[in-house]
mmCIF file of all heavy atoms in Angstrom:
data_model
loop_
_atom_site.group_PDB
_atom_site.id
_atom_site.type_symbol
_atom_site.label_atom_id
_atom_site.label_comp_id
_atom_site.label_asym_id
_atom_site.label_seq_id
_atom_site.Cartn_x
_atom_site.Cartn_y
_atom_site.Cartn_z
ATOM 1 N N ALA A 119 91.170 96.971 99.470
ATOM 2 C CA ALA A 119 90.077 95.997 99.486
ATOM 3 C C ALA A 119 89.734 95.577 98.065
ATOM 4 O O ALA A 119 89.707 96.399 97.146
ATOM 5 C CB ALA A 119 88.841 96.579 100.174
ATOM 6 N N ASP A 120 89.448 94.281 97.895
ATOM 7 C CA ASP A 120 89.057 93.756 96.590
ATOM 8 C C ASP A 120 88.379 92.404 96.797
ATOM 9 O O ASP A 120 88.470 91.807 97.868
ATOM 10 C CB ASP A 120 90.263 93.609 95.671
ATOM 11 C CG ASP A 120 89.877 93.718 94.204
ATOM 12 O OD1 ASP A 120 88.685 93.462 93.900
ATOM 13 O OD2 ASP A 120 90.730 94.053 93.372
ATOM 14 N N ARG A 121 87.681 91.933 95.739
ATOM 15 C CA ARG A 121 87.024 90.631 95.816
ATOM 16 C C ARG A 121 88.046 89.529 96.049
ATOM 17 O O ARG A 121 87.823 88.621 96.838
ATOM 18 C CB ARG A 121 86.258 90.344 94.528
ATOM 19 C CG ARG A 121 85.208 91.369 94.189
ATOM 20 C CD ARG A 121 84.007 91.246 95.101
ATOM 21 N NE ARG A 121 82.940 92.151 94.706
ATOM 22 C CZ ARG A 121 81.905 92.448 95.462
ATOM 23 N NH1 ARG A 121 81.803 91.924 96.671
ATOM 24 N NH2 ARG A 121 80.978 93.279 95.038
ATOM 25 N N SER A 122 89.135 89.590 95.326
ATOM 26 C CA SER A 122 90.222 88.628 95.471
ATOM 27 C C SER A 122 91.526 89.371 95.303
ATOM 28 O O SER A 122 91.589 90.388 94.604
ATOM 29 C CB SER A 122 90.108 87.497 94.438
ATOM 30 O OG SER A 122 90.188 88.020 93.126
ATOM 31 N N MET A 123 92.570 88.869 95.922
ATOM 32 C CA MET A 123 93.879 89.517 95.874
ATOM 33 C C MET A 123 94.913 88.500 95.399
ATOM 34 O O MET A 123 95.208 87.527 96.094
ATOM 35 C CB MET A 123 94.260 90.057 97.245
ATOM 36 C CG MET A 123 93.346 91.147 97.776
ATOM 37 S SD MET A 123 93.442 92.696 96.833
ATOM 38 C CE MET A 123 95.083 93.229 97.255
ATOM 39 N N SER A 124 95.422 88.721 94.220
ATOM 40 C CA SER A 124 96.478 87.875 93.687
ATOM 41 C C SER A 124 97.830 88.540 93.932
ATOM 42 O O SER A 124 97.921 89.670 94.418
ATOM 43 C CB SER A 124 96.267 87.643 92.184
ATOM 44 O OG SER A 124 96.305 88.875 91.492
ATOM 45 N N GLY A 125 98.900 87.828 93.564
ATOM 46 C CA GLY A 125 100.223 88.401 93.716
ATOM 47 C C GLY A 125 100.422 89.633 92.862
ATOM 48 O O GLY A 125 101.100 90.592 93.275
ATOM 49 N N ALA A 126 99.811 89.655 91.664
ATOM 50 C CA ALA A 126 99.931 90.826 90.799
ATOM 51 C C ALA A 126 99.241 92.042 91.419
ATOM 52 O O ALA A 126 99.762 93.162 91.375
ATOM 53 C CB ALA A 126 99.337 90.520 89.430
ATOM 54 N N LYS A 127 98.069 91.840 92.011
ATOM 55 C CA LYS A 127 97.361 92.954 92.648
ATOM 56 C C LYS A 127 98.120 93.468 93.868
ATOM 57 O O LYS A 127 98.125 94.674 94.138
ATOM 58 C CB LYS A 127 95.954 92.517 93.038
ATOM 59 C CG LYS A 127 95.027 92.283 91.859
ATOM 60 C CD LYS A 127 93.621 91.930 92.322
ATOM 61 C CE LYS A 127 92.693 91.734 91.130
ATOM 62 N NZ LYS A 127 91.308 91.391 91.554
ATOM 63 N N VAL A 128 98.745 92.565 94.604
ATOM 64 C CA VAL A 128 99.541 92.995 95.750
ATOM 65 C C VAL A 128 100.719 93.847 95.287
ATOM 66 O O VAL A 128 101.014 94.903 95.863
ATOM 67 C CB VAL A 128 100.036 91.766 96.540
ATOM 68 C CG1 VAL A 128 101.031 92.179 97.620
ATOM 69 C CG2 VAL A 128 98.861 91.046 97.180
ATOM 70 N N ALA A 129 101.410 93.419 94.226
ATOM 71 C CA ALA A 129 102.544 94.179 93.707
ATOM 72 C C ALA A 129 102.107 95.549 93.200
ATOM 73 O O ALA A 129 102.790 96.556 93.425
ATOM 74 C CB ALA A 129 103.236 93.390 92.589
ATOM 75 N N GLU A 130 100.961 95.624 92.528
ATOM 76 C CA GLU A 130 100.473 96.898 92.019
ATOM 77 C C GLU A 130 100.072 97.833 93.153
ATOM 78 O O GLU A 130 100.315 99.053 93.092
ATOM 79 C CB GLU A 130 99.302 96.652 91.076
ATOM 80 C CG GLU A 130 99.705 95.952 89.782
ATOM 81 C CD GLU A 130 98.515 95.476 88.973
ATOM 82 O OE1 GLU A 130 97.372 95.674 89.445
ATOM 83 O OE2 GLU A 130 98.720 94.912 87.891
ATOM 84 N N ALA A 131 99.459 97.290 94.217
ATOM 85 C CA ALA A 131 99.097 98.129 95.359
ATOM 86 C C ALA A 131 100.340 98.661 96.064
ATOM 87 O O ALA A 131 100.400 99.846 96.427
ATOM 88 C CB ALA A 131 98.237 97.321 96.332
ATOM 89 N N LEU A 132 101.354 97.834 96.235
ATOM 90 C CA LEU A 132 102.595 98.293 96.848
ATOM 91 C C LEU A 132 103.315 99.301 95.957
ATOM 92 O O LEU A 132 103.955 100.239 96.465
ATOM 93 C CB LEU A 132 103.510 97.103 97.132
ATOM 94 C CG LEU A 132 103.024 96.109 98.192
ATOM 95 C CD1 LEU A 132 103.973 94.925 98.274
ATOM 96 C CD2 LEU A 132 102.891 96.791 99.546
ATOM 97 N N GLN A 133 103.198 99.136 94.640
ATOM 98 C CA GLN A 133 103.814 100.082 93.722
ATOM 99 C C GLN A 133 103.213 101.477 93.885
ATOM 100 O O GLN A 133 103.925 102.485 93.902
ATOM 101 C CB GLN A 133 103.643 99.591 92.281
ATOM 102 C CG GLN A 133 104.220 100.505 91.215
ATOM 103 C CD GLN A 133 105.734 100.549 91.241
ATOM 104 O OE1 GLN A 133 106.369 99.636 91.753
ATOM 105 N NE2 GLN A 133 106.308 101.607 90.703
ATOM 106 N N ARG A 134 101.894 101.558 94.038
ATOM 107 C CA ARG A 134 101.248 102.860 94.244
ATOM 108 C C ARG A 134 101.685 103.491 95.558
ATOM 109 O O ARG A 134 101.863 104.709 95.645
ATOM 110 C CB ARG A 134 99.730 102.689 94.212
ATOM 111 C CG ARG A 134 99.162 102.317 92.859
ATOM 112 C CD ARG A 134 97.647 102.535 92.819
ATOM 113 N NE ARG A 134 96.977 101.725 93.829
ATOM 114 C CZ ARG A 134 96.552 100.485 93.618
ATOM 115 N NH1 ARG A 134 96.751 99.911 92.437
ATOM 116 N NH2 ARG A 134 95.938 99.809 94.567
ATOM 117 N N VAL A 135 101.886 102.649 96.577
ATOM 118 C CA VAL A 135 102.283 103.188 97.883
ATOM 119 C C VAL A 135 103.680 103.791 97.822
ATOM 120 O O VAL A 135 103.903 104.910 98.299
ATOM 121 C CB VAL A 135 102.210 102.083 98.957
ATOM 122 C CG1 VAL A 135 102.812 102.574 100.265
ATOM 123 C CG2 VAL A 135 100.771 101.666 99.184
#
Side-chain angles (χ1 to χ4, degrees):
D120 207 337
R121 302 287 185 194
S122 61
M123 297 293 291
S124 61
K127 290 183 178 180
V128 172
E130 292 169 359
L132 293 175
Q133 179 69 22
R134 292 195 300 271
V135 172

